[in-house]
Amino acid sequence: MPSLRARVALVLALLLTFSLAPGAVASASPDTSTTTTLAESTGASTPVAGWQIQSSAQVSVDGAAVSRTQFNARSWYPVGPRSTVLAGLVQNGKYPDLFYSTNLRDKVNLADFKVPWWYRSEFTVRGWAPTTLLRVPGVISRGEVWVNGTKVGDVVGTYNAREFDISSLVRPGRNALAIKVQPADPQEDFGISWIDWAQPAPDNNMGIWRDVEIARTGPVSITGTYAHSKLALPTLSSADVTAFAELHNNTNAPQSVSLQGRIGDRRLSQNVQLNAGETKAVAFPVETFRNPKVWWPAQFGDQPLYRLDVTARVGGWTSDQAGSNFGIRDVQSSLNAKGDRQFVINGKPLQIRGGGWAPDLLLRTQPERLESQMRYARDLGLNAIRMEGKLETPEFYDLADRYGIMLLPGWECCDKWEPWSGWGGSDWTASDYEIARGSMAAQARFVRSHPSVIAFLIGSDITSPTDVQQMYLAEFEKAGWANPVVSAASLNGGAQPPLGSSGSKMEGPYDWVPPNYWYGDQLGAAYGFGGELSAGHSIPNLDSVRAMLSPTEQEQLWKEPTTPQFHTGRGNEPFNNLTLFSTALAKRYGTPTSLTDYVDKAQLANYEQTRAQFEAYARRMTAERPATGLIYWMLNNAWPSLNWHLFGNDLAPAGAYFGVKKANEPLHVQYSYDDRSVVVVGQGPKGGQGLTVRADVYNLDGKLVHSQEKRDLSVASLGVTEAFQLPELQNLSSTYFVRLKLTDRSGREVSKNTYWLSSKPDVVDWANSDWYFTPVSSYADLSGLATLPKAGIDVRARTHNGTTTVTIKNTSSTIAPSVALTLRKQDGSQVTPVTWSDNYVSLLPGESVTVQANHGECGRPVVEASGLNVTTAKTLADQ
C-alpha cells in the first residue's frame, strides 16, 4: 500500500504528458508544440501524439540507443500517431500522387520495405503514480518495444494487443519510446492482405495504425468495461442491464477494491477482493430499466446510447477510471428451416442489406471521410457492413453505433489468417495459434460494447477447423461476448463443430451477370443469405475515370476490354480486366463510340445491375425459401477502382449507387424480371394501406402501348404484395420502357421506378457457370437507347445552408432514361461528398422532377445535367 505521502501525491500531482517534436528529437530540449497533458486524476490514458520514423538501413545503433532521450532523430520523418510506413512517406512527400495510373507500381521503391523501420517518440512525466502501462494495439507485422534503453517485449500481429508495465523504467521529465517494426508478408504473418480487392500496398501496411497509449494508474487498473442487456420481447417494455468491469491487480499483494459505477442517473457499487497479480471480471448487480431507449438499425428506429462509467478506489483513493458506451438491444441469429442464416433484431427478423468494407489502402485515419462513407451507407438504404479482416479504428464503430449500421466483423481469407482454405497462407505453428488466440481475445474486447456489432465471423471463405473454433470461442467467453459467433461467410468446409454450418453462401457472382440472374434458383440468386456477391465491375463517373487513369488507359478502357487495367484488380485473370462487363455492355447497349459514351452506357448498366440484385432479394423476403440477407461485394474501395463498389474512392456517387438507393426505398414498387410481376415491398418499420400501383409501358419512340392499375393495396412492414402481372405485349420495340408509380390514399407519390427493357431478354446459361460468373447464351437488346434523339433538359437550382434544390424538366419529345446531376464548384471540380434525394432519374417528354442535394457549404454550386441522350446543361444555383 502506498504511503500517505505517496497517496497525496497520487491525488494532487499525477500529470503525464507526451511530446513528439514535428521535426527533430535530439539531446537538446524537445519541441513541446504537440505536448499532450493528462488530466490530474488517476486513470487517464493518453495516446502517443506522433512518431518519427526511419528505415533501419539508415540507423546504425540498436534499440537501447534509439530509445534513449539522448538519441538524435533530427533527420527522421515526422508522422502522425497512426501511420504505416508508406503512409508516413506519403505524408512527407516522398511518394506523391500514388493513386494515379500505375504510380503505385512504378514509382515506389520496394526495397524501402524489405528492412525493419524504427518508430520513435518521447513523452514527459510529471508527478508520481504507482503504475505506468504501455498499451500497444498491435503491429504490422511485429515489433520490438523499447523504453528508455530497455527492451520490454514484442508485439506480434496486427490485432494481438499487448500491455507492458513500464513503471520501473519511466522517470520524471523526458522519456523515450521506440518500436522496431519488421517487414510484413500477409502469407507468413498475421497482417492485412488486399487479396483481389485492390493492388497491395507496397509496404504491406507495415507499421502502427491504431493508437499506442500510456496509462498511469494506482495499484489496480480497469482493463475494460461493458454491459449486457436482456430486453423484454416482444414488448420492449423493460430491460435488465448488467454492467461489468475488468480489473487487474498490478501489485504483488492482495487489494481491496471499491468499484463505483454510473449509468445515467443510476449509481452502481460493488466491493471486490483481488489476489496478487489477479485479473477478474466483476459484475455489478442487475439494473432494470423500464421503457428503455432501444437501439435500432437504420430505417427501423433511433440509435440511443447509454454510458457506463466506472471508478476503482483503493484505500479511499482513485486508482483508475474507465467507461464505455452501449446500446440496449437484442440480437439473435440461427439457421432457418432451409439452413440459411437469419438475424433477428429486437424480435424482428430483419433482412440484412449490406456491403463489404474496404478501408484506405494505406490505413490512414480520415475521420471526416469515414463519416461521409457511413452516411452514404445509410443513405443507400443499407443496414449492415461486413468487415473481412480490416477491423478498423474506434471511430468506425462509434459512427456505426450513431448511424445504425450493423457490423459483421471477422477474419479474412486467402492468407495467414485462413491457411486451411488452400488459397494462401502458411500453416500454423504452435506459436501461430497463440498469436491467433491473443488476436481474438483483444478484438473481442475491442468491439464487444458496440450495439452496431451483431456477430463475429471467425472464418471467411471456409469454415475454421474444430480446434480453431474452440480456441476462439474460449476467448469470446472470457471477454464476456454476448453476440452470435458465425463459423464463416461461406458454406465451404461444411458444418464442422462446434458452430456447425454458417448458413451463408458464397457461390458468386463476382463479375458481370444480367439483371434476370438474380431471379434464378441457383448459386447467388435471391434466396438464403449471400455472404458476398455482386455483378462485379462498377464504372465511376467521367470525372473520376479521368482522375485515376492515364490518357492511354482511358482509351484502352473503351477500346480494348481485354487489356488488363491496373485499377481493376491485382494479379491475373479474371479480375484484372473488364472483358465480361465490356463485352456485355457492347452487346446490350451498343459498341461504345468514345470514352464519354462508354461511361454513360456503363452508368445505365450499373444502375440496372445493382437495382435488380437488391430488388430480387427484397421480393423474396417472404418466399418459400426466403432471402434473409445479402452483402453486396463491395460497398467501397481502398483506392480508385473500376471494380466492386457502390461509390467511387473520391466519394462521387454514380449509377451503381442510385440503383441501390432506388431499390431500398422504405415503400417501394418494382418490376420482376422473371415473370413480369409488379410488386410492392415494405422495407421500413411501417407498411402501407390504401396504396395505388400504376404501370405504363412505352415504346422507344415514347408511345404509350399499355397501362395497368391496381387500387387499395396494402403491404406489411417487411412484407411483399403483388399488384399484378404485366401481359406479354405484342409489337413492342426491341428496347422499351416500363414506368411504375406508387401513390398513397391522397395521391401523393411514394415511389417511382423506370425500367429500360428488351423484347429479346438475356438468356442465362446456368449449366456453364463458373465460380465467379454465369454466362449468357444471348444478350438483351438495349441498343435502341443509343439511337434516342437528344433530350433538352431545363435546369433550375437554388442553394441555401448546404442544401441545393434542383428542378429539371425534359423539354423535348423524347424519353431521357437517365439524367445524371452533378454539382460543381466554381473551378469545375465535383462537389463531394454529396447525398441526393434521387439522381440518374428518368424523364418522360415534358416531365419535371425536383430533387435535393445535401453537401455542406461550397458557395454557389453549378448544377450540371448530362446523360446518354442528354444535351448537357448547366446552371449556377441561385441563393
Side-chain angles (χ1 to χ4, degrees):
M1 180 68 65
S3 67
L4 176 61
R5 179 180 178 184
R7 284 184 282 156
V8 171
L10 177 64
V11 174
L12 300 177
L14 275 178
L15 192 64
L16 172 63
T17 61
F18 297 88
S19 60
L20 173 64
V25 176
S27 57
S29 297
D31 184 342
T32 59
S33 62
T34 59
T35 297
T36 302
T37 303
L38 286 182
E40 294 186 8
S41 59
T42 308
S45 183
T46 301
V48 171
W51 302 92
Q52 290 174 296
I53 65 171
Q54 184 57 270
S55 168
S56 63
Q58 305 299 318
V59 180
S60 59
V61 295
D62 63 9
V66 173
S67 64
R68 294 188 183 276
T69 55
Q70 296 83 4
F71 182 78
N72 188 340
R74 192 178 304 276
S75 63
W76 288 25
Y77 299 100
V79 301
R82 308 170 183 174
S83 178
T84 64
V85 171
L86 182 55
L89 296 179
V90 170
Q91 178 185 339
N92 282 272
K94 182 171 182 180
Y95 292 125
D97 206 12
L98 273 189
F99 285 1
Y100 175 72
S101 188
T102 57
N103 286 355
L104 191 72
R105 180 189 67 199
D106 301 336
K107 302 295 185 181
V108 178
N109 182 6
L110 295 180
D112 283 347
F113 316 114
K114 301 299 184 184
V115 298
W117 277 70
W118 281 104
Y119 280 64
R120 187 182 187 280
S121 184
E122 290 198 10
F123 57 96
T124 301
V125 174
R126 301 187 183 121
W128 174 89
T131 307
T132 302
L133 303 170
L134 174 65
R135 294 168 175 160
V136 183
V139 174
I140 306 173
S141 65
R142 61 188 65 211
E144 299 174 8
V145 183
W146 296 75
V147 175
N148 289 339
T150 299
K151 182 180 177 181
V152 298
D154 296 290
V155 179
V156 185
T158 305
Y159 300 112
N160 188 20
R162 294 288 308 279
E163 180 178 271
F164 303 99
D165 189 333
I166 58 172
S167 305
S168 64
L169 298 177
V170 298
R171 53 179 178 264
R174 292 172 59 195
N175 295 261
L177 163 66
I179 301 178
K180 189 177 185 180
V181 175
Q182 297 295 323
D185 179 351
Q187 300 304 314
E188 300 296 330
D189 305 309
F190 288 91
I192 282 180
S193 169
W194 296 98
I195 317 169
D196 47 15
W197 306 6
Q199 299 297 337
D203 66 341
N204 282 323
N205 299 115
M206 67 182 294
I208 297 168
W209 64 286
R210 284 179 179 167
D211 286 332
V212 172
E213 298 181 343
I214 301 179
R216 305 202 80 192
T217 79
V220 172
S221 299
I222 303 174
T223 59
T225 64
Y226 59 99
H228 290 169
S229 60
K230 185 176 181 181
L231 187 60
L233 299 174
T235 63
L236 313 183
S237 59
S238 66
D240 291 338
V241 175
T242 306
F244 295 84
E246 293 172 325
L247 305 180
H248 178 70
N249 183 352
N250 300 310
T251 74
N252 57 7
Q255 298 290 340
S256 297
V257 185
S258 173
L259 275 182
Q260 298 174 355
R262 174 182 288 186
I263 301 175
D265 58 0
R266 296 179 182 237
R267 295 184 179 275
L268 317 172
S269 64
Q270 187 74 290
N271 294 323
V272 184
Q273 296 293 319
L274 290 178
N275 295 325
E278 183 181 10
T279 298
K280 180 186 291 186
V282 179
F284 287 98
V286 174
E287 291 284 326
T288 298
F289 286 69
R290 303 296 178 188
N291 300 313
K293 298 176 181 178
V294 177
W295 187 95
W296 284 97
Q299 297 99 37
F300 271 83
D302 297 328
Q303 293 77 45
L305 297 174
Y306 289 82
R307 175 73 184 178
L308 168 64
D309 288 301
V310 180
T311 300
R313 295 182 180 274
V314 176
W317 303 96
T318 298
S319 182
D320 204 358
Q321 298 172 319
S324 54
N325 294 329
F326 69 96
I328 292 178
R329 51 86 167 124
D330 182 85
V331 177
Q332 302 294 327
S333 184
S334 61
L335 303 186
N336 63 19
K338 298 295 184 180
D340 300 320
R341 177 66 51 183
Q342 174 75 68
F343 285 92
V344 180
I345 312 297
N346 300 332
K348 282 186 175 289
L350 296 187
Q351 184 185 70
I352 297 297
R353 300 193 304 273
W357 177 259
D360 174 68
L361 187 66
L362 308 187
L363 302 185
R364 291 170 291 192
T365 296
Q366 301 163 310
E368 290 184 3
R369 177 181 176 83
L370 204 60
E371 182 160 12
S372 295
Q373 293 181 89
M374 196 66 72
R375 188 181 299 116
Y376 275 0
R378 181 162 175 151
D379 181 62
L380 279 160
L382 302 181
N383 59 23
I385 289 174
R386 179 181 164 220
M387 307 160 69
E388 183 190 342
K390 322 297 187 295
L391 301 189
E392 274 293 353
T393 55
E395 297 85 357
F396 182 90
Y397 297 89
D398 292 340
L399 287 166
D401 290 345
R402 284 170 42 206
Y403 279 87
I405 302 299
M406 297 179 287
L407 300 179
L408 294 166
W411 302 131
E412 67 189 23
C413 86
C414 314
D415 58 18
K416 186 69 173 182
W417 291 100
E418 202 171 81
W420 37 85
S421 69
W423 303 314
S426 61
D427 292 339
W428 285 8
T429 63
S431 61
D432 288 334
Y433 275 85
E434 291 309 306
I435 297 168
R437 181 194 304 274
S439 301
M440 189 74 268
Q443 298 319 298
R445 287 171 169 81
F446 182 65
V447 304
R448 66 187 169 189
S449 292
H450 292 277
S452 56
V453 176
I454 62 168
F456 197 99
L457 280 62
I458 61 170
S460 178
D461 289 29
I462 191 170
T463 301
S464 301
T466 294
D467 63 334
V468 174
Q469 291 187 37
Q470 292 171 334
M471 177 185 73
Y472 284 154
L473 289 172
E475 296 309 316
F476 279 116
E477 183 176 2
K478 293 175 189 175
W481 186 258
N483 296 314
V485 177
V486 181
S487 59
S490 166
L491 298 172
N492 293 328
Q496 296 195 43
L499 288 174
S501 172
S502 69
S504 173
K505 64 182 180 180
M506 189 185 288
E507 299 175 320
Y510 296 92
D511 211 326
W512 186 84
V513 291
N516 59 348
Y517 168 95
W518 303 106
Y519 290 86
D521 59 0
Q522 302 179 46
L523 303 174
Y527 62 87
F529 191 99
E532 55 179 57
L533 66 177
S534 76
H537 295 97
S538 185
I539 308 302
N541 67 26
L542 189 59
D543 290 58
S544 304
V545 168
R546 286 172 171 162
M548 82 167 83
L549 303 182
S550 69
T552 298
E553 291 168 323
Q554 293 174 36
E555 186 171 11
Q556 290 169 337
L557 178 63
W558 70 275
K559 285 185 175 180
E560 304 170 21
T562 62
T563 299
Q565 285 279 352
F566 192 64
H567 284 263
T568 296
R570 66 182 294 186
N572 299 319
E573 294 182 314
F575 301 131
N576 70 349
N577 62 73
L578 291 91
T579 299
L580 291 176
F581 176 85
S582 294
T583 298
L585 192 72
K587 294 285 188 180
R588 299 172 86 242
Y589 286 90
T591 302
T593 58
S594 66
L595 178 64
T596 299
D597 186 56
Y598 177 90
V599 172
D600 283 343
K601 289 173 177 173
Q603 301 315 312
L604 290 163
N606 288 155
Y607 189 106
E608 65 163 348
Q609 287 169 352
T610 61
R611 178 178 59 180
Q613 181 174 348
F614 279 84
E615 285 185 340
Y617 270 79
R619 196 193 81 173
R620 291 182 175 173
M621 278 192 296
T622 58
E624 190 268 335
R625 184 174 185 179
T628 58
L630 75 155
I631 300 297
Y632 183 88
W633 208 247
M634 298 178 67
L635 172 65
N636 63 339
N637 288 129
W639 81 316
S641 178
L642 300 167
N643 201 23
W644 293 339
H645 66 257
L646 293 179
F647 52 86
N649 189 256
D650 57 1
L651 302 185
Y657 184 106
F658 293 104
V660 173
K661 181 178 172 71
K662 176 61 66 176
N664 286 339
E665 292 173 327
L667 274 178
H668 179 65
V669 62
Q670 62 186 58
Y671 170 85
S672 304
Y673 282 85
D674 58 339
D675 61 6
R676 304 183 311 282
S677 62
V678 174
V679 303
V680 180
V681 294
Q683 301 179 104
K686 298 179 181 179
Q689 297 80 39
L691 303 172
T692 297
V693 173
R694 180 181 175 86
D696 293 315
V697 182
Y698 298 88
N699 268 333
L700 187 67
D701 60 7
K703 181 181 178 181
L704 180 65
V705 295
H706 178 76
S707 292
Q708 202 163 336
E709 187 174 273
K710 180 78 171 184
R711 295 178 178 272
D712 201 25
L713 285 170
S714 296
V715 64
S717 171
L718 303 178
V720 180
T721 298
E722 182 173 325
F724 47 74
Q725 188 176 54
L726 290 174
E728 286 193 64
L729 298 172
Q730 303 301 314
N731 301 318
L732 284 174
S733 52
S734 58
T735 305
Y736 65 98
F737 301 97
V738 171
R739 161 66 66 84
L740 305 179
K741 186 179 288 189
L742 177 69
T743 54
D744 63 15
R745 279 196 179 99
S746 67
R748 181 182 64 89
E749 182 181 291
V750 177
S751 174
K752 184 168 65 177
N753 206 352
T754 306
Y755 296 80
W756 41 99
L757 302 170
S758 174
S759 54
K760 176 192 172 187
D762 298 289
V763 178
V764 181
D765 184 8
W766 294 102
N768 286 302
S769 296
D770 206 337
W771 67 271
Y772 64 99
F773 86 111
T774 294
V776 296
S777 56
S778 64
Y779 293 94
D781 181 7
L782 301 172
S783 60
L785 298 177
T787 68
L788 286 169
K790 285 290 186 180
I793 304 296
D794 179 69
V795 183
R796 309 287 175 91
R798 181 175 294 276
T799 191
H800 179 67
N801 288 341
T803 298
T804 299
T805 302
V806 182
T807 299
I808 53 175
K809 182 176 181 179
N810 184 352
T811 60
S812 68
S813 59
T814 188
I815 294 175
S818 180
V819 180
L821 296 172
T822 304
L823 293 186
R824 298 191 181 278
K825 301 174 185 177
Q826 296 297 315
D827 64 4
S829 62
Q830 297 182 91
V831 174
T832 59
V834 57
T835 56
W836 290 88
S837 59
D838 198 7
N839 204 337
Y840 287 74
V841 296
S842 298
L843 291 178
L844 302 175
E847 185 178 21
S848 65
V849 67
T850 298
V851 296
Q852 282 194 332
N854 294 305
H855 48 77
E857 291 299 332
C858 65
R860 293 177 63 190
V862 173
V863 181
E864 178 182 284
S866 61
L868 181 66
N869 73 319
V870 173
T871 301
T872 300
K874 299 179 182 181
T875 189
L876 180 64
D878 295 331
Q879 287 184 312

